[in-house]
Amino acid sequence: MKQDVTPAKVLKGTLNLPADKSISHRSAMFAALYEGISTISNFSTAADPHSTLDCMRKLGVSIREQEDNTIEIKGVGREGLQASAKELDCGNSGTTMRLLSGIIGGSGVSARLIGDESLSARTMKRIIDPLTKMGITIEARDGDYAPLEIHRNGPIKPLHFPLPIASAQLKSCVLLAGLFGDGETEVIETLPSRDHTERLLNLNIEERDENKIIRSSREAVIPEQSYRIPNDFSAAAFWMVAAAIHPDSEINLPKVGLNPSRTGALDILKSMGATVTITNESSEGAEPVGDLSISSSKLEPIHITEEVVPNCIDEIPILAVAMVFADGVSRISGAGELRHKETDRLTAMADVLGKAGADFTEYEDGLQIKGDPDFVPKASLYSSFDDHRIAMSAAVLSMMAEDKSQVLDAGCTAISYPAFWEDLGTLTN
Ligand code: S3P
């Protein structure tokens, strides 16, 4: 699907964003491991969390979906998962493949995990190495890529694991396998990444010498997962930037997840001078939420460094768009992980910025962008690289252009935000 984007004269409205993707995945997996029924409301309508639901069903978990996006999951407990004769298709979802590998390997059921072309090209070695040390056998293409064949013969060996990469998927994978071990698996985190797994499972956490030690074992009681999932901060970020860079805007985003391990982009935009207000702060289950309101802003340049990258990892493409309109030179460094996402997001953003006519340099670990508050992007034909976050970043940039632009393979927004193009229409009408 090729999507037209016309320059927006005004950008005003209130949007009910999709539910948080990371929490949706986890709620379904953890509810399956709970011994009893969980009722989860506001489950994401996006494709990725539905890949997780499909996989859980194939593992013998009964899931009832209602029209209002409430789902009821009959948990089978740690011992109740069943081996699937069918392949588990993780689609485009790295979170599904990496977290489920920990659960499947830990539980001892055998399974074959597959993914689409993008997921099959993403490295799995980072999870294969620690899971192998825990006694799980994973056969992978070239020892690194999906399809993954997962088996286990002996017991789970608890692991002491200093995280070699600041990745919540890797952290969660090891902790989930650790839930099946007699003895404590410890993950040591130096740079904080999203902490939904430890919050929703109420895992034991110790703060020591500025590091966080998270522990899991068979002793950890898996809590019921009945709550309302907050709206997705990562989806909010596109509209926060859109509102900040547009001269006539005010966008309201109710009930957005405000977990501090996710809101790096909020802090960055505020430091850049964005006009953001947060009201009605409360919590949904273990997660903080609030209403966001953002309007036209004068943006200053900023340097995003390695320590904060994990807290804004998915927002870096759209933050690059904000930098294009800041008054000076901004820099993103220590962001090499972006090369291992649904596509190489540094190369992809360099392509988008280049087509728009922005002044930038691409580095191995980031980008430098010379911004200009009066910049007008060229009307262009943007490639989305079939990556939802690139498509949405190109769309926000296009709303500031001199004329109509187009985004190719625009349907990929359904991976995290199925109503993105409709919402864009709502704001501009
Ligand atoms: C996710 C973690 C991040 C993020 C992804 C979702 C999660 O990946 O990019 O979209 O839900 O744990 P990494 O942990 O690999 O950085």
Side-chain angles (χ1 to χ4, degrees):
M1 166 189 142
K2 197 194 278 179
Q3 177 72 44
D4 289 349
V5 187
T6 41
K9 288 198 184 67
V10 290
L11 214 49
K12 291 199 176 165
T14 299
L15 297 177
N16 185 29
L17 297 171
D20 189 283
K21 181 161 84 68
S22 290
I23 300 177
S24 293
H25 285 297
R26 287 164 171 81
S27 68
M29 292 181 198
F30 305 167
L33 295 178
Y34 169 67
E35 287 187 38
I37 292 176
S38 294
T39 306
I40 303 157
S41 59
N42 197 38
F43 192 83
S44 172
T45 50
D48 268 7
H50 281 262
S51 294
T52 292
L53 291 185
D54 291 347
C55 292
M56 298 320 292
R57 285 194 172 104
K58 287 194 182 130
L59 292 167
V61 179
S62 151
I63 301 173
R64 209 157 58 91
E65 285 179 72
Q66 295 165 17
E67 276 188 4
D68 64 352
N69 301 328
T70 297
I71 62 167
E72 198 182 88
I73 301 191
K74 217 186 232 175
V76 295
R78 281 179 173 77
E79 310 302 330
L81 294 177
Q82 292 163 21
S84 166
K86 295 193 191 129
E87 296 176 324
L88 306 187
D89 189 350
C90 304
N92 189 248
S93 173
T95 309
T96 307
M97 185 167 279
R98 295 193 175 123
L99 270 60
L100 259 190
S101 295
I103 293 177
I104 290 168
S107 72
V109 296
S110 298
R112 180 179 161 85
L113 271 59
I114 59 166
D116 69 4
E117 199 185 324
S118 149
L119 184 55
S120 305
R122 292 176 69 182
T123 179
M124 293 295 144
K125 198 168 180 324
R126 57 183 60 185
I127 61 158
I128 295 172
D129 289 347
L131 292 181
T132 305
K133 286 191 185 136
M134 295 177 88
I136 298 164
T137 305
I138 303 189
E139 287 149 42
R141 183 173 51 83
D142 297 335
D144 196 357
Y145 302 100
L148 306 181
E149 299 265 3
I150 307 181
H151 321 272
R152 174 161 73 72
N153 297 320
I156 283 291
K157 297 180 212 153
L159 187 68
H160 175 86
F161 188 59
L163 273 174
I165 309 161
S167 158
Q169 292 181 352
L170 174 56
K171 164 174 72 175
S172 302
C173 169
V174 171
L175 289 167
L176 290 170
L179 284 176
F180 298 85
D182 292 322
E184 275 181 339
T185 284
E186 288 188 332
V187 174
I188 294 95
E189 184 177 63
T190 342
L191 293 183
S193 63
R194 67 191 68 192
D195 65 359
H196 305 302
T197 297
E198 39 283 44
R199 275 178 191 251
L200 298 174
L201 288 176
N202 197 16
L203 294 178
N204 175 288
I205 296 173
E206 187 191 331
E207 310 269 349
R208 199 196 293 162
D209 303 332
E210 297 192 10
N211 291 340
K212 197 167 119 182
I213 304 167
I214 312 142
R215 300 190 173 95
S216 70
S217 74
R218 195 180 285 285
E219 300 285 299
V221 177
I222 295 178
E224 182 181 335
Q225 301 289 313
S226 295
Y227 40 76
R228 182 188 188 280
I229 297 179
N231 292 346
D232 201 333
F233 178 82
S234 297
F238 293 99
W239 304 123
M240 291 170 70
V241 170
I245 61 179
H246 195 280
D248 188 4
S249 68
E250 184 174 346
I251 302 181
N252 303 308
L253 306 165
K255 295 190 175 166
V256 176
L258 295 177
N259 178 326
S261 68
R262 285 288 295 284
T263 51
L266 176 63
D267 303 332
I268 289 164
L269 286 170
K270 278 188 184 163
S271 307
M272 292 176 81
T275 320
V276 188
T277 56
I278 305 174
T279 50
N280 294 327
E281 286 187 77
S282 64
S283 55
E284 305 271 15
E287 296 281 344
V289 293
D291 297 348
L292 293 177
S293 177
I294 312 97
S295 52
S296 317
S297 313
K298 252 175 75 55
L299 296 180
E300 296 300 323
I302 196 156
H303 185 178
I304 299 178
T305 49
E306 190 182 9
E307 319 79 75
V308 296
V309 165
N311 287 359
C312 60
I313 185 84
D314 291 338
E315 289 67 65
I316 287 181
I318 190 64
L319 287 170
V321 172
M323 290 172 174
V324 169
F325 297 91
D327 193 6
V329 178
S330 292
R331 177 92 163 90
I332 299 161
S333 52
E337 267 295 289
L338 261 76
R339 299 203 182 275
H340 305 291
K341 296 296 174 187
E342 285 82 331
T343 189
D344 175 339
R345 286 186 175 157
L346 291 176
T347 300
M349 281 313 293
D351 186 72
V352 168
L353 298 178
K355 284 188 176 144
D359 186 348
F360 73 99
T361 311
E362 181 186 349
Y363 295 95
E364 196 42 44
D365 71 337
L367 296 165
Q368 177 162 295
I369 298 170
K370 186 160 181 240
D372 174 0
D374 299 321
F375 178 68
V376 180
K378 284 188 212 153
S380 290
L381 177 64
Y382 290 104
S383 166
S384 67
F385 294 78
D386 228 350
D387 179 324
H388 50 134
R389 300 200 199 280
I390 302 301
M392 294 188 274
S393 300
V396 170
L397 188 57
S398 299
M399 289 197 292
M400 302 294 289
E402 58 199 357
D403 206 346
K404 185 181 86 177
S405 294
Q406 290 181 310
V407 180
L408 291 169
D409 295 320
C412 62
T413 56
I415 289 296
S416 64
Y417 193 163
F420 177 81
W421 300 109
E422 286 90 321
D423 283 356
L424 190 152
T426 307
L427 290 177
T428 49
N429 280 329

